Coordinates of all heavy atoms in Angstrom, one line a residue:
A14 N 134.8 54.2 22.8 CA 135.8 53.9 23.9 C 135.1 53.2 25.0 O 135.7 52.4 25.7 CB 136.4 55.2 24.3
K89 N 157.1 68.7 51.1 CA 158.4 69.4 51.5 C 159.3 68.4 52.3 O 160.5 68.5 52.2 CB 158.1 70.6 52.3 CG 157.6 71.8 51.5 CD 157.4 73.0 52.4 CE 156.9 74.2 51.6 NZ 156.7 75.4 52.4
D95 N 150.6 59.3 47.5 CA 150.4 58.9 46.1 C 149.3 59.8 45.5 O 149.4 60.1 44.3 CB 149.9 57.5 46.1 CG 151.0 56.5 46.6 OD1 152.0 56.3 45.8 OD2 150.9 56.0 47.7
T114 N 147.1 63.2 33.6 CA 146.0 62.2 33.6 C 146.2 61.2 32.5 O 145.7 60.0 32.8 CB 144.7 63.0 33.4 OG1 144.7 63.7 32.2 CG2 144.4 63.9 34.6
M143 N 142.6 66.5 38.3 CA 141.4 65.8 38.0 C 140.3 66.4 38.8 O 140.4 66.3 40.1 CB 141.6 64.3 38.2 CG 142.5 63.6 37.3 SD 143.1 62.0 37.9 CE 144.5 62.6 38.9
L152 N 121.6 82.9 42.3 CA 121.1 83.9 43.3 C 120.0 83.2 44.0 O 119.0 82.7 43.4 CB 120.7 85.2 42.6 CG 120.2 86.3 43.5 CD1 120.6 87.6 43.0 CD2 118.7 86.3 43.7
Q169 N 116.2 90.0 37.7 CA 116.9 89.5 36.5 C 118.0 90.5 36.1 O 118.8 90.1 35.3 CB 115.8 89.5 35.3 CG 114.7 88.5 35.6 CD 115.1 87.1 35.6 OE1 115.9 86.6 34.8 NE2 114.5 86.3 36.5
T203 N 133.8 88.2 44.6 CA 134.4 89.1 43.6 C 134.2 88.7 42.2 O 133.7 89.4 41.3 CB 135.9 89.3 43.9 OG1 136.1 89.9 45.2 CG2 136.5 90.3 42.9
S225 N 140.0 95.9 34.5 CA 139.3 96.2 33.2 C 138.2 97.2 33.5 O 137.7 97.4 34.6 CB 138.7 95.0 32.6 OG 137.6 94.5 33.4
P249 N 130.4 95.0 53.4 CA 130.9 93.7 52.8 C 132.2 93.3 53.4 O 132.4 92.0 53.6 CB 131.0 94.1 51.3 CG 129.9 95.1 51.1 CD 129.9 95.9 52.4
I284 N 113.3 77.5 55.6 CA 113.2 78.7 54.7 C 112.7 78.3 53.4 O 113.2 77.3 52.7 CB 114.6 79.3 54.6 CG1 115.2 79.8 55.9 CG2 114.6 80.4 53.6 CD1 114.3 80.9 56.6
M302 N 129.9 81.5 38.1 CA 131.2 81.0 38.5 C 131.0 79.5 38.8 O 130.1 79.0 39.3 CB 131.6 81.7 39.8 CG 132.9 81.2 40.3 SD 133.4 82.0 41.9 CE 132.3 81.1 43.0
V345 N 131.3 65.5 38.2 CA 132.4 66.0 37.4 C 132.5 65.2 36.1 O 133.4 65.5 35.3 CB 133.7 66.1 38.1 CG1 133.6 67.0 39.3 CG2 134.1 64.7 38.6
A414 N 149.2 91.2 40.5 CA 149.0 90.0 39.6 C 150.1 90.0 38.5 O 150.6 89.0 38.2 CB 147.6 90.0 39.1

Side-chain angles (χ1 to χ4, degrees):
K89 285 182 178 178
D95 295 286
T114 58
M143 291 162 276
L152 185 141
Q169 302 292 320
T203 298
S225 68
I284 298 298
M302 181 182 78
V345 297

